[in-house]
Amino acid sequence: MTSSVMPPQNSESKRPPLYAYISWYVLLFSWVQGIAALHIALVLCLLLSLRFIPQAISKLKSIPWLWIPIACYEAVRMVSAIISEHPDQAFIGIFDDVRAIVFGLLALVFLNHKQDLKH
């Protein structure tokens, strides 16, 4: 392949293997099938691409002041869940936040380049 089609592979932006990409497409397909299928596919996709999560986090480090609002938001969610009338139900929202963060990190892993967005 030419260099215009495939970006150069260096140690910082290593692409996940094909089986991890297959798990990403299964995750996207399971999203519309139901919440149980989504959770199973999310765990599988996360496990298959776990070694690339630090690469996604390093991409986020370049955005200034990103972690402070996220940490403050989650702290407010924790405090409000603890002091709520039904804390067991309030913690479900925190689980949704974790699911959204994991999905966002996986998107950063699999959508490295503009060519990935086109596919």
Side-chain angles (χ1 to χ4, degrees):
M1 300 225 155
T2 63
S3 62
S4 64
V5 175
M6 295 294 290
Q9 298 287 327
N10 58 20
S11 62
E12 188 177 319
S13 66
K14 196 172 182 183
R15 294 178 64 103
L18 180 62
Y19 60 84
Y21 272 98
I22 292 171
S23 72
W24 171 249
Y25 290 119
V26 168
L27 174 62
L28 293 179
F29 177 74
S30 68
W31 190 352
V32 296
Q33 299 305 313
I35 199 74
L38 172 68
H39 287 149
I40 292 168
L42 184 63
V43 169
L44 289 175
C45 187
L46 180 64
L47 290 175
L48 290 175
S49 59
L50 199 57
R51 64 184 176 138
F52 298 100
I53 295 296
Q55 178 181 338
I57 292 173
S58 69
K59 290 178 187 178
L60 292 175
K61 286 182 182 177
S62 65
I63 302 172
W65 298 91
L66 176 71
W67 298 106
I68 293 172
I70 292 173
C72 290
Y73 175 76
E74 290 303 322
V76 168
R77 291 283 300 239
M78 289 291 285
V79 170
S80 67
I82 290 170
I83 63 174
S84 71
E85 191 171 319
H86 302 285
D88 55 335
Q89 294 173 359
F91 279 107
I92 293 173
I94 295 172
F95 177 73
D96 291 340
D97 293 346
V98 170
R99 183 176 57 203
I101 290 170
V102 168
F103 203 98
L105 288 174
L106 287 173
L108 283 174
V109 167
F110 291 106
L111 301 177
N112 279 329
H113 308 284
K114 289 182 181 179
Q115 195 69 19
D116 294 334
L117 287 171
K118 292 177 184 176
H119 290 299

